[in-house]
Amino acid sequence: MSELRKVNVDGKEIEVPGHYTLMQACEEAGAEIPRFCYHERLSVAGNCRMCLVEWVGAPKPMASCAMSVNDLRPNRDGTPANIRTNSAVVKKAREGVMEFLLINHPLDCPICDQGGECDLQDQAMAYGRGQTRFDEDKRAVEEKNMGPLVKTNMTRCIQCTRCVRFISEVAGVEELGLVNRGENAEITTYLQANLKSELSGNVIDLCPVGALTSRPYAFNARPWELRKTESIDVMDAVGSNIRVDARGAAVMRILPRLNDDVNEEWISDKTRFVWDGLQRQRLDTPYVRKNGKLAPTSWGEALGVVAERLKGDPERIAAIAGDLCDMESMKALKDLMGSLGVTSIDCRQDGAALGGQGREGYLFNSGIAGIDEADAILLIGTNPRLEAPIINARIRGAWLNNGAEIGLIGAPADLTYPYAHIGDGAAALEGFAAKRGGFTALFKKAKKPMIIIGMGALARPDGAQILRKTGQLAARLNVVRDDWNGFNVLHSAAARVGGLDMGFVPGESGRDVASILDGAGKGEVDTVYLLGADEIDMSALGDAFVIYQGSHGDAGAHRADVILPGAAYTEKDALYTNTEGRVQAGFRAVFPKGKAREDWSIVRALSDVLGRTLPYDDLAAVRATLETPAVSAFDPAKLGKAGKIRAGAFVSMIDDFYLTNPIARASAVMAQCAANASGLAEAAE
């Protein structure tokens, strides 16, 4: 922590750390400093000069973003340096800078998607002259094709380089740069290539002038037309905080919300642009299969058919919860199955060997923000760039800002930061602790070592044995201790931790997902209830009667004998628990489509028809029954099961980042991104 220094801002004396920039010091004193190029999460560029302030006694105004309090010297009488943010000198300087910035900027606010929420527009009103002395022709810049997500109008660009710094520093890919000089300077992609980072959409939020806007959202709405609803993302297990903007019955765009402990202020491209999938391939009425074809029906008939199938032998009934389920719907289904005596329930579609050994055995225990403190990180069976881009950006930040060393056991991949590749699979894991030198030596010396194990290691048939080996490694190398828990499980499903917390796993003598599919194929399981479960092998269900409850016509709906239309995540108030065990609430932005209903209420209505009425009538009553498991003594060495580990590489569970769930697969934008990424991969080969 740097030494505190005194500074006088607009006649108000304050004390701030010496490493603070003048901009931070002025804002600490309550002054407002305009800026375009400065961003607190990016390096300082000092390009725009809009943040000029007056240091009394200095020959000219200073760029407050690029000068620290330590750079100031006291006045000759020993009093703190005087900074003025509202003097005539500052006003004239800012007017001059704004006049220069607007020299070539086109006056097309009425057709610009950034209109109404544009920094340049706002600051021109607040700090501009009101007229220009420039009467020459404005320059024009050729548009750039940055891919299906980012629309460009580079004539508006003021070269603040926020996008360049974000892509290179946070996203970690060298895809944007500034070429030429002076009047001819312009931002462009290298070799006219498309942006291919999973975080590229964040440049839209960063751009202060409308040079980079959302291509899917272009010309769809104005910001003042939209209802804004704070919610939670379910595209991965990070639980990014988002804002859903809707008009009428349609979601028009999704933006990030600030949460330093989770997603900072970034979201992945899938989170941001998946919204068009919320309108397509929707299930908006119940269906029952008749004569081999699904036919629309009433809620009464559909629930009656389901109730008849669930009155059979409970040992021949099973339920599987999918990756996008909220906690209330899983709780309602678990309670209903429990009342029927059904023990074959599971929320682990991929078969991950987790649950039953304490909550810390399946959580990201250090917390997502804890990545910033780690000085050595071992990745096991995970590709965080595809499974959780926000967490991958945190890992890159730990490497870039704190010098964290990173090692990988698993398939090699471009993770946007350098790492030591220790091996592909189980053999490298078993021999890691015995190695001398290299990354192992660095990991043993680390003050805050961290292990991140993913589903590529845990969703194998020997996942329980790999979990045991990883836990023993964590215990041996001091990863878990009283002041630090660096044993982290990286989930890829938004519903997984919530399901494990409530015990949506097989009961005594119950079947897990693999056994349910095996039993259905052999005729030992007659009825399977799929709660938004689409990531299983539907062909393995054999002749079983399939009940599908979900929002989209994906794999589960195609196989179903009865379809109960549910609500998507933007259409219901719901709780989700992210990979670190943080319970967060999402809120309804639009109403469910057609006859679709909130998922917990469908199960509640079904319980009535079955004569097993569940003891809650509203959402608050459901939530009152939810309990977070108590924290107990955690011994990582006792996780999983003992046994032999199979040979073979750890392979990430995600093949295509853009098409991982029913909503994404219904999205035309995500399909375009997937085709674009596939083309880039083929070109690279």
Side-chain angles (χ1 to χ4, degrees), residues 34 36 48-52 61 87-103 123-133:
F36 291 116
C48 71
R49 321 308 284 182
M50 194 64 207
C51 64
L52 294 174
S87 64
V89 171
V90 173
K91 185 175 185 296
K92 182 179 180 181
R94 288 175 180 169
E95 286 178 351
V97 169
M98 181 61 70
E99 190 174 9
F100 274 116
L101 290 176
L102 293 175
I103 278 178
Q123 293 185 41
M125 291 292 292
Y127 303 103
R129 283 171 50 92
Q131 69 271 344
T132 180
R133 292 169 288 179

Side-chain angles (χ1 to χ4, degrees), residues 401-446:
N401 302 321
N402 303 329
E405 298 286 345
I406 300 156
L408 171 67
I409 299 178
D414 179 6
L415 299 180
T416 73
Y417 42 80
Y419 59 84
H421 187 230
I422 298 152
D424 291 331
L429 176 61
E430 292 186 286
F432 178 77
K435 284 188 175 182
R436 296 182 179 180
F439 178 77
T440 302
L442 294 171
F443 195 84
K444 290 177 178 178
K445 293 177 182 176

Side-chain angles (χ1 to χ4, degrees), residues 89-427:
V89 171
V90 173
K91 185 175 185 296
K92 182 179 180 181
R94 288 175 180 169
E95 286 178 351
V97 169
M98 181 61 70
E99 190 174 9
F100 274 116
L101 290 176
L102 293 175
I103 278 178
N104 286 308
H105 193 79
L107 303 179
D108 55 3
C109 297
I111 63 165
C112 177
D113 276 325
Q114 205 79 312
E117 46 190 12
C118 171
D119 290 346
L120 184 63
Q121 200 174 50
D122 295 341
Q123 293 185 41
M125 291 292 292
Y127 303 103
R129 283 171 50 92
Q131 69 271 344
T132 180
R133 292 169 288 179
F134 186 76
D135 56 6
E136 303 294 328
D137 292 335
K138 291 178 179 286
R139 77 165 189 168
V141 180
E142 183 181 351
E143 302 312 321
K144 310 296 186 292
N145 180 15
M146 294 189 181
L149 302 180
V150 180
K151 182 177 183 292
T152 67
N153 190 325
M154 302 313 289
T155 300
R156 301 171 184 160
C157 180
I158 61 170
Q159 288 87 46
C160 71
T161 70
R162 277 188 181 183
C163 56
V164 176
R165 285 174 284 147
F166 172 83
I167 286 291
S168 62
E169 294 169 13
V170 180
V173 288
E174 300 292 342
E175 294 178 346
L176 284 177
L178 183 71
V179 297
N180 304 326
R181 301 183 68 180
E183 180 80 2
N184 297 317
E186 57 183 277
I187 303 290
T188 183
T189 57
Y190 291 107
L191 303 177
Q192 304 298 312
N194 291 344
L195 294 178
K196 53 183 181 291
S197 167
E198 296 78 16
L199 297 168
S200 64
N202 290 291
V203 300
I204 297 168
D205 298 331
L206 288 171
C207 183
V209 298
L212 304 175
T213 56
S214 171
R215 188 177 293 277
Y217 172 72
F219 310 122
N220 278 347
R222 286 298 198 181
W224 53 83
E225 299 177 298
L226 304 176
R227 298 188 312 275
K228 301 168 178 61
T229 307
E230 295 185 349
S231 194
I232 300 299
D233 172 56
V234 299
M235 293 298 109
D236 54 32
V238 174
S240 296
N241 288 217
I242 59 173
R243 193 187 84 195
V244 181
D245 288 359
R247 184 178 62 187
V251 172
M252 304 301 291
R253 66 177 179 179
I254 296 174
L255 300 175
R257 284 190 295 128
L258 177 66
N259 189 328
D260 283 331
D261 292 332
V262 182
N263 58 302
E264 298 178 297
E265 58 188 273
W266 320 124
I267 53 175
S268 73
D269 289 349
K270 185 164 51 177
T271 297
R272 183 185 297 271
F273 295 107
V274 79
W275 52 266
D276 72 311
L278 294 166
Q279 322 299 331
R280 295 185 168 90
Q281 297 182 17
R282 290 304 303 270
L283 300 173
D284 58 1
T285 190
Y287 288 85
V288 172
R289 192 174 294 276
K290 299 177 181 178
N291 301 319
K293 293 185 178 180
L294 287 168
T297 187
S298 66
W299 270 109
E301 181 184 359
L303 292 177
V305 172
V306 172
E308 283 300 315
R309 298 299 307 193
L310 294 179
K311 289 178 180 177
D313 182 357
E315 293 187 0
R316 302 179 71 84
I317 300 173
I320 302 173
D323 292 347
L324 307 184
C325 294
D326 57 275
M327 293 176 67
E328 294 92 341
S329 63
M330 288 189 288
K331 175 61 174 174
L333 184 57
K334 178 178 183 288
D335 288 349
L336 178 61
M337 291 296 156
S339 72
L340 297 171
V342 175
T343 58
S344 297
I345 62 174
D346 205 348
C347 65
R348 303 162 299 184
Q349 281 191 105
D350 54 14
L354 292 167
Q357 292 168 308
R359 196 169 191 246
E360 289 179 301
Y362 56 80
L363 290 185
F364 203 96
N365 290 294
S366 69
I368 295 171
I371 295 172
D372 300 342
E373 302 176 39
D375 48 0
I377 303 173
L378 175 62
L379 305 174
I380 301 174
T382 181
N383 180 342
R385 182 174 177 181
L386 299 182
E387 296 167 22
I390 298 299
I391 287 180
N392 196 63
R394 286 266 194 180
I395 297 173
R396 173 177 167 79
W399 163 75
L400 186 65
N401 302 321
N402 303 329
E405 298 286 345
I406 300 156
L408 171 67
I409 299 178
D414 179 6
L415 299 180
T416 73
Y417 42 80
Y419 59 84
H421 187 230
I422 298 152
D424 291 331

Side-chain angles (χ1 to χ4, degrees), residues 606-619:
L606 177 59
S607 72
D608 263 349
V609 179
L610 277 164
R612 309 275 182 152
T613 304
L614 296 174
Y616 27 76
D617 297 319
D618 56 36
L619 195 63

Side-chain angles (χ1 to χ4, degrees), residues 78-89:
T79 58
N82 295 307
I83 302 296
R84 298 289 178 265
T85 68
N86 53 11
S87 64
V89 171

